Amino acid sequence: MSEPPRFHRAPRPAADAAAPAADAVRLNKRLADLGLCSRREADEWIERGWVRVNGQVGAMGQKVSPHDQVTVDRRADAAQAERVTILLHKPVGYVSGQAEDGHQPAVTLINARSRWRGDAAPTRFAPAQLKGLAPAGRLDIDSVGLLVLTQDGRVARRLIGEDSDVDKEYLVRVAYGDVTTGVQAAFPATGLARLRHGLALDGQPLKPAQVDWQNPEQLRFVLREGKKRQIRRMCELVGLKVTGLKRIRIGRVALGQLPVGQWRYLGPGEAF
């Protein structure tokens, strides 16, 4: 029985074989645009000789046109399958990314002891999973809730890429001036309308958002973008002060019963 081919072909759009050079892009971008990996992962594959262009081993920085045949070694699939995505219930006092002002990054909470006992994923924790584990999105130091950390560039691209349309849901406790109870009754309907659409941050208009009252002191936000401290800044623009903020969902993945300070793996049947 013959050995199966080591390389498989990456999908490609139909194109005329005489496509102009202007259509050429770097090889790592081509792989990322096809959704096979991130550019960083593509660079790793190219360095290892796992990517071929028209049958020849690809080179770093090489440009390819739409009609070029790009193939990827099956060992890349195996390497990618080992990459993990972790869901953390981030507490107050931890930053999402690099340590700053004496505050520890959320990744320091990821260890065998802090894994949620209710995690049904079959994956076993190993220290190697911490290598390259990075947050796919922001959750500021004063906020709690669902934070995604991943080694998988495809997940990061899906959540924070320029073309990402994954929605994120938050519960936001607010005050209106000196009013801390019964805020809904005191806050004008025009302010709620502006939160939904009409605000701008950093000189750019914000995308429409879903904003509704959950109870007299708490709003529910659903956003499709993630500017720095966006909800807090949006509330400030309409006279509200955020006193508590919790992210409870990203795409189809909910925080659920995951306890504060604990984590679990993204399960085999889950996707954003």
Side-chain angles (χ1 to χ4, degrees):
M1 184 173 180
S2 60
E3 182 180 353
R6 176 172 293 179
F7 286 84
H8 67 278
R9 180 179 300 181
R12 59 179 178 174
D16 188 336
D23 289 344
V25 297
R26 289 184 180 272
L27 182 55
N28 63 355
K29 185 177 188 301
R30 169 76 174 276
L31 292 170
D33 287 347
L34 290 170
L36 299 177
C37 58
S38 68
R39 291 199 196 187
R40 178 176 56 81
E41 288 167 337
D43 286 340
E44 293 177 6
W45 294 0
I46 295 167
E47 286 180 351
R48 294 187 180 191
W50 289 352
V51 181
R52 295 191 178 225
V53 179
N54 301 323
Q56 302 298 315
V57 175
M60 294 292 291
Q62 179 176 353
K63 289 195 173 184
V64 294
S65 296
H67 65 277
D68 286 320
Q69 178 182 310
V70 177
T71 53
V72 180
D73 193 305
R74 295 185 185 279
R75 287 175 293 182
D77 290 337
Q80 201 164 46
E82 295 176 358
R83 298 180 186 273
V84 300
T85 295
I86 284 173
L87 311 175
L88 171 70
H89 190 159
K90 189 190 86 67
V92 168
Y94 286 82
V95 294
S96 297
Q98 298 295 323
E100 56 183 72
D101 299 327
H103 297 288
Q104 292 296 309
V107 71
T108 59
L109 293 169
I110 309 302
N111 55 63
R113 297 184 305 278
S114 59
R115 182 179 180 180
W116 182 36
R117 290 186 177 181
D119 186 2
T123 308
R124 296 184 63 181
F125 177 75
Q129 294 167 0
L130 298 175
K131 182 180 180 182
L133 190 67
R138 301 185 180 97
L139 195 58
D140 67 60
I141 191 170
D142 298 318
S143 301
V144 303
L146 183 59
L147 180 67
V148 176
L149 301 117
T150 187
Q151 294 177 312
D152 192 332
R154 295 169 301 177
V155 172
R157 182 183 177 90
R158 174 78 175 124
L159 296 184
I160 58 176
E162 293 180 1
D163 56 349
S164 175
D165 62 352
V166 177
D167 60 352
K168 304 168 183 69
E169 183 176 353
Y170 305 80
L171 296 180
V172 184
R173 186 166 292 277
V174 294
Y176 185 49
D178 295 331
V179 179
T180 58
T181 59
V183 180
Q184 180 178 2
F187 186 63
T190 53
L192 186 63
R194 291 181 65 204
L195 286 172
R196 290 171 174 165
H197 194 209
L199 297 178
L201 291 177
D202 306 322
Q204 295 183 333
L206 296 175
K207 296 179 181 178
Q210 297 178 42
V211 187
D212 298 285
W213 289 101
Q214 284 289 105
N215 60 51
E217 291 80 39
Q218 186 170 257
L219 287 163
R220 169 183 170 269
F221 279 72
V222 180
L223 305 180
R224 290 186 178 272
E225 58 190 330
K227 293 182 179 294
K228 187 174 182 179
R229 298 178 71 86
Q230 179 171 334
I231 291 177
R232 294 178 188 275
R233 294 163 68 194
M234 289 173 68
C235 287
E236 287 174 2
L237 290 175
V238 296
L240 292 173
K241 179 181 179 181
V242 172
T243 59
L245 190 154
K246 181 178 185 178
R247 182 157 63 202
I248 61 171
R249 181 179 60 82
I250 298 176
R252 290 172 286 178
V253 178
L255 180 65
Q257 301 301 312
L258 185 62
V260 177
Q262 296 185 31
W263 62 272
R264 69 174 180 88
Y265 291 105
L266 183 70
E270 292 182 302
F272 295 102

